[in-house]
Amino acid sequence: MDNLKFRKILILFHLLVAGFMAPAFILVAITGGLHMVGGGEKQDIQTIILTENASLDFSSKTIEDDVRALLKSAGVNHDFEYLKNRGSSAQTRPTSRPYVSFKISNKELIAEMVTPNFQKAMMEIHKGHGPKILRSYHKLVALLLFAVVFGGILVGLMSNVYRKKTIVTLFSGSLIYILLIMFG
């Protein structure tokens, strides 16, 4: 396969994969940008009344079943995919929709129903706290992003017209990023 044909294939791959990833990157750009300027992430928090002496052992191997049983005993109908356990606190997931937060304070278990607004829910998806299937999709998007960036650089380096521009912008962008990390 000659250089020109291979470049055309890389460009087509680049365009198709970029189009496939565009919705995820638009969400990330909007939610990340709004987050950086302090825009609108809110959540409604309601205390859940637990039965007297309610407790959870966050180190238990059956913690998810224990949480389901505790919520049922408190009359809370809440379905969740998995539990994010931090040892002395836990959250049902995904947190991109209403979830329950548990923490131990002064040896007392506290449970709260947390309902994020749209902006907060989208930020939770941005951070990877959405449904498991969406997390799998985002892992694929991350892998494809690497392929698109690497493929774009490769296309630039393969072209006599764009080789110097590709090298200069890659070097400049890398240098700026490294300097911002070191001194920012």
Side-chain angles (χ1 to χ4, degrees):
M1 182 180 312
D2 65 12
N3 191 11
L4 183 59
K5 192 171 189 171
F6 183 63
R7 240 182 38 232
K8 285 183 178 182
I9 290 171
L10 279 176
I11 291 169
L12 179 61
F13 171 79
H14 182 88
L15 292 173
L16 294 175
V17 173
F20 176 78
M21 296 184 316
F25 283 104
I26 289 169
L27 173 83
V28 168
I30 291 170
T31 56
L34 287 172
H35 179 77
M36 297 296 265
V37 298
E41 293 169 38
K42 294 184 175 130
Q43 50 194 16
D44 179 50
I45 301 173
Q46 301 291 323
T47 301
I48 297 173
I49 307 300
L50 300 174
T51 57
E52 193 173 326
N53 297 323
S55 67
L56 286 172
D57 178 3
F58 292 114
S59 63
S60 169
K61 292 182 187 224
T62 61
I63 186 66
E64 287 191 20
D65 292 332
D66 299 342
V67 165
R68 285 183 172 87
L70 178 72
L71 291 173
K72 187 175 181 181
S73 73
V76 176
N77 182 18
H78 178 68
D79 187 31
F80 62 95
E81 287 187 30
Y82 60 101
L83 193 70
K84 177 66 176 180
N85 188 342
R86 293 184 169 86
S88 62
S89 67
Q91 295 173 324
T92 62
R93 290 283 173 96
T95 53
S96 58
R97 55 185 180 220
Y99 64 95
V100 179
S101 177
F102 298 95
K103 63 183 170 190
I104 297 175
S105 179
N106 296 328
K107 297 185 181 181
E108 180 183 351
L109 181 64
I110 298 170
E112 299 172 325
M113 178 64 73
V114 182
T115 305
N117 70 356
F118 182 75
Q119 172 67 26
K120 177 71 172 169
M122 293 303 100
M123 190 63 198
E124 290 298 307
I125 288 172
H126 174 127
K127 295 188 295 187
H129 301 164
K132 283 184 177 181
I133 189 76
L134 192 58
R135 292 175 56 181
S136 296
Y137 167 78
H138 284 160
K139 289 174 187 176
L140 174 63
V141 167
L143 181 63
L144 290 174
L145 175 62
F146 178 77
V148 165
V149 171
F150 182 73
I153 292 168
L154 190 57
V155 166
L157 293 175
M158 292 174 73
S159 167
N160 290 333
V161 175
Y162 294 113
R163 184 173 296 126
K164 184 176 178 183
K165 293 173 186 167
T166 301
I167 291 169
V168 169
T169 55
L170 179 61
F171 177 77
S172 301
S174 299
L175 181 63
I176 289 168
Y177 195 64
I178 290 168
L179 292 173
L180 288 171
I181 289 170
M182 291 174 59
F183 302 109

